[in-house]
């Protein structure tokens, strides 16, 4: 319902109020989040980005972002050991004196789904994929509340189109878990003006005529800008459907 509004404005809206916005992004890779990071950088946002990669592509992307962003810090370590999701969120908030926008990016590939057959394995997959963003969301929302920031958090889970009924069922369960997490966190932090929304794999029950489906990286970037802007301050607890976004490496 909201995507039609966002789509109409994405091509002409510049969101000048986002200059200087303190933005943390986790899970960035050459395959997911590039357009989103560039969109915030081009609006002179202050960015701290976590990535698992130390590839030449990431070095080039970091240089590109640094050339336009108001400020850029890069954490090129995967979440394990001392580099935990909590520590990343804390570092981001401490480095910027608070946070205005947080985007957590997660992709699910066909390889991730290959050996997932039993209920226990599905639950393990959901925990593995959603736990880091849940952890970052809790820390970031708490810091936003403590600093009286009208902050926004967007949790993004994208997946390649399912190749079987089994994959579709698993992705449906992932989306249900993401929706439950989003609604719970949005309700708990609504009194502190912290807005929490999500993007998940397309629901199999989505009305084909609703138009409420993101189909590309630019779509997700446009949504992120919208929810971070003044125009998005009424949105919280929503899960937007995405289809056909995760292609590379899947």
């Amino acid at each position: 319902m909201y995507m039609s509004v966002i789509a109409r404005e994405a091509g002409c809206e510049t969101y000048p109020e986002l200059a200087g916005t303190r933005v943390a992004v986790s899970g960035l890779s050459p395959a997911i989040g590039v357009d989103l990071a560039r969109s915030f950088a081009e609006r002179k946002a202050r960015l701290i980005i976590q990535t698992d990669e130390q590839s030449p592509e990431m070095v080039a992307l970091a240089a590109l972002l640094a050339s336009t962003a108001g400020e850029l810090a890069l954490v090129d370590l995967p979440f394990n050991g001392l580099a935990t999701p909590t520590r990343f969120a804390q570092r981001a908030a401490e480095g910027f004196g608070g946070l205005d926008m947080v985007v957590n990016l997660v992709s699910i590939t066909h390889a991730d789904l290959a050996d997932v057959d039993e209920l226990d394995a599905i639950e393990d997959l959901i925990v593995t994929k959603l736990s880091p963003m849940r952890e970052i969301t809790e820390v970031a929302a708490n810091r936003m509340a403590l600093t009286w920031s009208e902050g926004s958090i967007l949790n993004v889970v994208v997946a390649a189109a399912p190749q079987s009924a089994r994959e579709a069922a698993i992705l449906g369960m992932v989306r249900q878990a993401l929706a439950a997490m989003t609604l719970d966190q949005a309700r708990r932090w609504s009194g502190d003006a912290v807005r929490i929304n999500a993007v998940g794999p397309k629901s199999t029950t989505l009305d084909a005529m609703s138009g409420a489906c993101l189909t590309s990286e630019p779509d997700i970037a446009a949504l992120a800008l919208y929810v971070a802007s003044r125009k998005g301050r009424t949105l919280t607890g929503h899960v937007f459907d995405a289809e056909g976004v995760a292609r590379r490496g899947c």
Side-chain angles (χ1 to χ4, degrees):
M1 136 172 101
Y2 295 104
M3 278 309 299
S4 58
V5 176
I6 296 168
R8 285 198 301 270
E9 298 183 353
C12 60
E13 184 60 74
T14 59
Y15 303 114
E17 71 271 23
L18 296 183
T21 297
R22 301 163 298 180
V23 182
V25 180
S26 75
L28 181 71
S29 76
I32 179 174
V34 173
D35 287 283
L36 182 148
R38 288 182 61 182
S39 295
F40 279 105
E42 289 168 357
R43 286 158 180 82
K44 305 300 180 185
R46 302 169 65 193
L47 292 169
I48 180 168
I49 292 173
Q50 181 272 335
T51 177
D52 292 355
E53 294 200 24
Q54 297 180 342
S55 64
E57 285 182 284
M58 279 305 306
V59 173
L61 176 57
L64 177 64
L65 296 175
S67 69
T68 57
E71 183 178 341
L72 177 69
L74 183 66
V75 180
D76 55 353
L77 293 171
F79 288 139
N80 58 46
L82 296 177
T84 64
T86 290
R87 183 64 194 127
F88 170 71
Q90 291 171 337
R91 173 179 173 178
E94 291 165 2
F96 289 155
L99 290 169
D100 303 302
M101 178 70 182
V102 175
V103 183
N104 298 304
L105 304 167
V106 168
S107 62
I108 299 176
T109 67
H110 292 303
D112 291 326
L113 304 176
D115 298 319
V116 179
D117 294 311
E118 303 294 332
L119 183 58
D120 287 347
I122 296 174
E123 292 176 349
D124 288 344
L125 174 71
I126 291 172
V127 169
T128 298
K129 294 296 183 179
L130 301 191
S131 288
M133 59 174 47
R134 174 189 284 276
E135 200 171 317
I136 292 173
T137 297
E138 292 292 339
V139 175
N142 182 61
R143 184 59 61 95
M144 289 172 178
L146 290 174
T147 56
W148 296 290
S149 300
E150 292 190 19
S152 183
I153 300 172
L154 182 65
N155 290 318
V156 179
V157 179
V158 297
Q163 296 181 335
S164 65
R166 180 186 64 84
E167 288 191 354
I170 295 170
L171 292 178
M173 294 178 70
V174 171
R175 189 186 188 284
Q176 289 175 357
L178 177 65
M181 181 181 81
T182 301
L183 184 58
D184 174 63
Q185 291 178 323
R187 284 174 173 170
R188 287 194 291 114
W189 295 105
S190 62
D192 296 292
V194 177
R195 305 177 308 282
I196 301 171
N197 296 285
V199 174
K202 180 182 177 181
S203 171
T204 56
T205 60
L206 181 67
D207 181 354
M209 300 301 292
S210 69
C213 187
L214 298 90
T215 60
S216 67
E217 281 260 347
D219 281 352
I220 293 177
L223 174 63
L225 293 175
Y226 187 89
V227 299
S229 73
R230 285 192 290 265
K231 292 185 177 182
R233 288 182 178 173
T234 60
L235 294 183
T236 191
H238 297 280
V239 180
F240 296 86
D241 289 86
E243 182 180 40
V245 177
R247 292 191 176 96
R248 290 184 55 188
C250 297

